[in-house]
Short mmCIF file of all heavy atoms in Angstrom, two decimals:
data_model
loop_
_atom_site.label_atom_id
_atom_site.label_comp_id
_atom_site.label_asym_id
_atom_site.label_seq_id
_atom_site.Cartn_x
_atom_site.Cartn_y
_atom_site.Cartn_z
N THR A 522 -9.46 0.10 -16.90
CA THR A 522 -10.70 -0.63 -16.65
C THR A 522 -11.34 -1.10 -17.95
O THR A 522 -11.82 -2.26 -18.04
CB THR A 522 -11.67 0.24 -15.87
OG1 THR A 522 -11.09 0.68 -14.62
CG2 THR A 522 -12.99 -0.45 -15.59
N ALA A 523 -11.41 -0.21 -18.95
CA ALA A 523 -11.98 -0.59 -20.25
C ALA A 523 -11.21 -1.71 -20.92
O ALA A 523 -11.77 -2.65 -21.46
CB ALA A 523 -12.00 0.64 -21.14
N HIS A 524 -9.87 -1.65 -20.84
CA HIS A 524 -9.03 -2.69 -21.43
C HIS A 524 -9.31 -4.06 -20.81
O HIS A 524 -9.51 -5.04 -21.51
CB HIS A 524 -7.54 -2.30 -21.21
CG HIS A 524 -6.57 -3.34 -21.62
ND1 HIS A 524 -6.11 -3.51 -22.93
CD2 HIS A 524 -5.96 -4.33 -20.89
CE1 HIS A 524 -5.28 -4.52 -22.99
NE2 HIS A 524 -5.15 -5.05 -21.77
N HIS A 525 -9.35 -4.13 -19.47
CA HIS A 525 -9.55 -5.40 -18.80
C HIS A 525 -11.02 -5.87 -18.89
O HIS A 525 -11.28 -7.08 -18.89
CB HIS A 525 -9.08 -5.32 -17.38
CG HIS A 525 -7.61 -5.23 -17.23
ND1 HIS A 525 -6.79 -6.32 -17.31
CD2 HIS A 525 -6.75 -4.14 -17.13
CE1 HIS A 525 -5.52 -5.97 -17.19
NE2 HIS A 525 -5.49 -4.63 -17.10
N PHE A 526 -11.94 -4.93 -19.05
CA PHE A 526 -13.35 -5.31 -19.31
C PHE A 526 -13.43 -6.06 -20.63
O PHE A 526 -14.09 -7.10 -20.72
CB PHE A 526 -14.20 -4.07 -19.35
CG PHE A 526 -15.52 -4.24 -19.99
CD1 PHE A 526 -16.60 -4.80 -19.29
CD2 PHE A 526 -15.77 -3.84 -21.29
CE1 PHE A 526 -17.83 -4.97 -19.86
CE2 PHE A 526 -17.00 -4.01 -21.90
CZ PHE A 526 -18.07 -4.59 -21.18
N LEU A 527 -12.71 -5.57 -21.64
CA LEU A 527 -12.72 -6.24 -22.95
C LEU A 527 -12.09 -7.60 -22.89
O LEU A 527 -12.49 -8.55 -23.58
CB LEU A 527 -12.02 -5.36 -23.98
CG LEU A 527 -12.85 -4.16 -24.47
CD1 LEU A 527 -12.00 -3.28 -25.42
CD2 LEU A 527 -14.15 -4.54 -25.14
N LEU A 528 -11.06 -7.76 -22.03
CA LEU A 528 -10.42 -9.08 -21.87
C LEU A 528 -11.44 -10.08 -21.29
O LEU A 528 -11.52 -11.21 -21.75
CB LEU A 528 -9.23 -8.98 -20.95
CG LEU A 528 -7.99 -8.21 -21.48
CD1 LEU A 528 -6.87 -8.19 -20.44
CD2 LEU A 528 -7.48 -8.86 -22.78
N GLY A 529 -12.18 -9.64 -20.29
CA GLY A 529 -13.21 -10.53 -19.70
C GLY A 529 -14.33 -10.81 -20.66
O GLY A 529 -14.88 -11.92 -20.68
N LEU A 530 -14.67 -9.86 -21.50
CA LEU A 530 -15.75 -10.01 -22.46
C LEU A 530 -15.33 -10.91 -23.62
O LEU A 530 -16.20 -11.49 -24.32
CB LEU A 530 -16.16 -8.64 -22.98
CG LEU A 530 -17.40 -8.54 -23.87
CD1 LEU A 530 -18.65 -8.93 -23.10
CD2 LEU A 530 -17.54 -7.13 -24.47
N GLN A 531 -14.02 -11.05 -23.81
CA GLN A 531 -13.48 -11.76 -24.96
C GLN A 531 -14.08 -11.20 -26.26
O GLN A 531 -14.56 -11.91 -27.12
CB GLN A 531 -13.71 -13.28 -24.88
CG GLN A 531 -12.96 -13.94 -23.69
CD GLN A 531 -13.15 -15.43 -23.64
OE1 GLN A 531 -13.69 -16.06 -24.56
NE2 GLN A 531 -12.66 -16.03 -22.58
N ALA A 532 -14.03 -9.88 -26.34
CA ALA A 532 -14.65 -9.17 -27.47
C ALA A 532 -13.88 -9.42 -28.75
O ALA A 532 -12.69 -9.84 -28.74
CB ALA A 532 -14.69 -7.68 -27.18
N ASP A 533 -14.50 -9.14 -29.85
CA ASP A 533 -13.85 -9.22 -31.17
C ASP A 533 -12.64 -8.29 -31.17
O ASP A 533 -12.69 -7.20 -30.62
CB ASP A 533 -14.85 -8.82 -32.24
CG ASP A 533 -14.28 -9.02 -33.64
OD1 ASP A 533 -13.52 -8.15 -34.11
OD2 ASP A 533 -14.62 -10.04 -34.28
N PRO A 534 -11.53 -8.74 -31.77
CA PRO A 534 -10.30 -7.91 -31.73
C PRO A 534 -10.51 -6.52 -32.36
O PRO A 534 -9.74 -5.61 -32.10
CB PRO A 534 -9.33 -8.74 -32.57
CG PRO A 534 -9.81 -10.14 -32.45
CD PRO A 534 -11.28 -10.04 -32.36
N SER A 535 -11.51 -6.35 -33.20
CA SER A 535 -11.76 -5.04 -33.81
C SER A 535 -12.31 -4.03 -32.80
O SER A 535 -12.31 -2.83 -33.08
CB SER A 535 -12.74 -5.20 -35.01
OG SER A 535 -14.03 -5.64 -34.53
N VAL A 536 -12.82 -4.51 -31.68
CA VAL A 536 -13.37 -3.61 -30.68
C VAL A 536 -12.24 -3.03 -29.82
O VAL A 536 -11.54 -3.77 -29.12
CB VAL A 536 -14.42 -4.33 -29.76
CG1 VAL A 536 -14.96 -3.36 -28.70
CG2 VAL A 536 -15.53 -4.91 -30.58
N LYS A 537 -12.00 -1.73 -29.90
CA LYS A 537 -10.95 -1.11 -29.13
C LYS A 537 -11.55 0.02 -28.32
O LYS A 537 -12.63 0.48 -28.51
CB LYS A 537 -9.92 -0.57 -30.11
CG LYS A 537 -9.19 -1.65 -30.92
CD LYS A 537 -8.12 -1.09 -31.80
CE LYS A 537 -7.39 -2.16 -32.58
NZ LYS A 537 -6.71 -3.12 -31.72
N VAL A 538 -10.75 0.48 -27.35
CA VAL A 538 -11.14 1.48 -26.41
C VAL A 538 -10.97 2.85 -27.06
O VAL A 538 -9.84 3.23 -27.54
CB VAL A 538 -10.29 1.45 -25.12
CG1 VAL A 538 -10.75 2.57 -24.15
CG2 VAL A 538 -10.41 0.09 -24.45
N ARG A 539 -12.04 3.64 -27.12
CA ARG A 539 -12.01 4.99 -27.65
C ARG A 539 -11.77 5.95 -26.47
O ARG A 539 -12.70 6.10 -25.64
CB ARG A 539 -13.27 5.31 -28.42
CG ARG A 539 -13.51 4.42 -29.64
CD ARG A 539 -14.86 4.57 -30.25
NE ARG A 539 -15.05 3.75 -31.46
CZ ARG A 539 -16.14 3.61 -32.14
NH1 ARG A 539 -17.24 4.28 -31.75
NH2 ARG A 539 -16.22 2.86 -33.22
N VAL A 540 -10.62 6.55 -26.41
CA VAL A 540 -10.30 7.40 -25.27
C VAL A 540 -10.96 8.75 -25.50
O VAL A 540 -10.65 9.48 -26.44
CB VAL A 540 -8.80 7.55 -25.14
CG1 VAL A 540 -8.47 8.49 -23.95
CG2 VAL A 540 -8.14 6.22 -24.92
#
Side-chain angles (χ1 to χ4, degrees):
T522 300
H524 173 84
H525 289 279
F526 164 79
L527 286 175
L528 291 180
L530 188 66
Q531 295 184 9
D533 186 278
S535 64
V536 179
K537 296 183 179 298
V538 179
R539 297 171 177 175
V540 179

